[in-house]
Amino acid sequence: MKNIAIIMGGYSSEYKISLISGNVVYQFLDKTKFNGFRIHIFKEKWVYVDDKDTEFPIDKNDFSTTVNGTKITFDCVFNAIHGTPGEDGLMQAYFELIGMPQTSCDYYQAALTFNKRDLLSVLKPYGIKTATSYYLNKGEPIDTSEIVKKVGLPCFVKPNKSGSSFGISKVKTANELPIAIEIAYKEDNEIIIESFLDGTEVSVGVFNYKGKVTVLPITEIVSENDFFDYEAKYHGKSQEITPARISEEMTQKVSEIAKRAYEILKMKGFSRSEFIFVDGEPFMLEMNTIPGLTTESLIPQQAKVATISLEDLFSNAIELALIN
């Protein structure tokens, strides 16, 4: 039996969702192969939390814990932290330094994909289409007329490094820009302002399944709100339709691009990329490397349509991490 540390929590606004994801992994872990341990990672403490909610500190020297005088070490880490430090490369680098296998991508890929501006810049030369964008860093002057001239209206103002749609605004008039920029700066000191792409939004899950890069059935996002924001994602204010109601040609096109991006970046573990179709062409918005794993989340929905159980999905991730 392998000891698996399921890390959850984190330092960002997404910590509550991460705790749900981590508990789903804990619940569906194959008990015949793995002993699961819930590890909460917060700025103020790293602790193992047992089934009675008793906390035991993690020794950061070797990522072990001691319970009633017995030292427990882990064979592998299942990373379920959305946002920093689990999705931006910090935990990946730490685990690489101590020689601990973990289920997500390596630290460079995590840092790159977490930075929307850098990710899209790297993929652009490979012919992957993206929205027109304008970059802004905190402290720089805000020239609304220049921004509008470049990206047009409506546009999206996004923190460069955050997830779950925290800090994102859809801006319809130039007057709304400064307010939206302030909201985004609450999440990050770098901003990306993108042109509005009017079309069908889809989410494409890619992962290595039993040694082969596999694209999951595609999900179409139909938000009741102005866009696929936090409320739409987690409070049922959207329809998520899997498989997406798009043509075979569009399905093939976006699947190939998502898979290509995964391979170009030498990804491991899960990735979930968001695209918007404009005139039949997919434009990439972003890539998530620690996508939500709650039962309502998109990757579990897609796996269900592909008849892959959560138990199988999680076992596969751990088994690949152990051999890589």
Side-chain angles (χ1 to χ4, degrees):
M1 291 279 276
K2 301 277 187 194
N3 285 350
I4 309 301
I6 304 158
I7 60 171
M8 58 188 93
Y11 306 165
S12 77
S13 309
E14 296 185 86
Y15 78 92
K16 287 181 181 163
I17 301 142
S18 169
L19 292 174
I20 300 168
S21 287
N23 278 301
V24 168
V25 175
Y26 180 67
Q27 186 189 337
F28 286 95
L29 210 59
D30 186 340
K31 309 291 187 289
T32 64
K33 295 179 186 169
F34 309 117
N35 293 317
F37 294 81
R38 292 178 303 166
I39 312 292
H40 287 191
I41 305 282
F42 293 114
K43 269 187 179 155
E44 64 280 5
K45 61 183 179 182
W46 290 19
V47 289
Y48 156 55
V49 181
D50 71 8
D51 289 336
K52 296 187 185 117
D53 286 335
T54 310
E55 296 183 349
F56 302 90
I58 292 290
D59 180 346
K60 292 181 187 174
N61 292 301
D62 60 356
F63 202 70
S64 65
T65 189
T66 301
V67 178
N68 305 327
T70 305
K71 181 171 173 166
I72 297 169
T73 56
F74 303 106
D75 298 291
C76 182
V77 170
F78 195 108
N79 186 352
I81 296 177
H82 315 308
T84 186
E87 199 165 8
D88 59 0
L90 293 176
M91 294 304 293
Q92 290 87 338
Y94 163 73
F95 289 126
E96 185 155 321
L97 283 171
I98 64 167
M100 173 82 66
Q102 54 92 30
T103 55
S104 63
C105 60
D106 292 335
Y107 67 91
Y108 170 73
Q109 283 79 357
L112 177 69
T113 50
F114 197 65
N115 186 313
K116 296 181 184 80
R117 301 188 328 194
D118 291 358
L119 167 73
L120 299 173
S121 303
V122 165
L123 291 176
K124 224 172 193 169
Y126 292 93
I128 292 173
K129 294 181 172 68
T130 63
T132 304
S133 57
Y134 185 100
Y135 299 165
L136 204 55
N137 294 338
K138 201 163 192 172
E140 289 178 353
I142 299 163
D143 185 335
T144 49
S145 60
E146 193 191 331
I147 295 168
V148 171
K149 192 175 153 191
K150 178 146 192 213
V151 301
L153 287 170
C155 64
F156 280 102
V157 177
K158 304 176 180 181
N160 189 31
K161 303 184 291 290
S162 92
S164 291
S165 302
F166 283 111
I168 296 185
S169 306
K170 184 178 180 181
V171 171
K172 293 167 186 164
T173 67
N175 293 342
E176 293 171 16
L177 258 175
I179 303 154
I181 287 166
E182 274 314 303
I183 291 167
Y185 278 146
K186 287 193 176 114
E187 294 291 327
D188 190 17
N189 59 9
E190 297 174 349
I191 287 179
I192 181 168
I193 302 171
E194 290 181 328
S195 59
F196 171 62
L197 298 172
D198 194 5
T200 304
E201 182 168 352
V202 296
S203 190
V204 189
V206 182
F207 74 129
N208 184 327
Y209 188 55
K210 300 183 175 170
K212 185 177 177 229
V213 176
T214 303
V215 180
L216 284 161
I218 294 163
T219 302
E220 179 185 345
I221 310 292
V222 185
S223 177
E224 283 175 34
N225 295 357
D226 246 354
F227 64 99
F228 194 42
D229 60 5
Y230 181 86
E231 203 183 25
K233 279 181 182 164
Y234 301 108
H235 296 166
K237 297 277 183 171
S238 68
Q239 273 183 289
E240 295 155 7
I241 301 156
T242 314
R245 301 166 302 178
I246 56 175
S247 69
E248 186 55 48
E249 186 191 355
M250 285 161 84
T251 301
Q252 197 177 340
K253 205 178 265 188
V254 78
S255 298
E256 276 172 15
I257 291 169
K259 185 181 178 195
R260 193 151 160 254
Y262 188 98
E263 290 171 337
I264 288 164
L265 299 173
K266 300 185 173 62
M267 284 292 300
K268 291 177 186 166
F270 300 106
S271 84
R272 201 193 73 225
S273 299
E274 319 301 329
F275 294 87
I276 289 182
F277 277 99
V278 180
D279 300 327
E281 287 299 318
F283 285 70
M284 189 174 194
L285 300 177
E286 62 175 9
M287 181 189 279
N288 301 285
T289 60
I290 313 283
L293 296 171
T294 72
T295 44
E296 290 80 42
S297 296
L298 298 179
I299 291 275
Q301 283 184 39
Q302 294 169 358
K304 194 176 179 182
V305 173
T307 65
I308 299 168
S309 69
L310 288 182
E311 193 175 75
D312 188 15
L313 196 69
F314 301 152
S315 292
N316 176 74
I318 292 164
E319 280 152 10
L320 282 174
L322 287 167
I323 55 172
N324 279 339

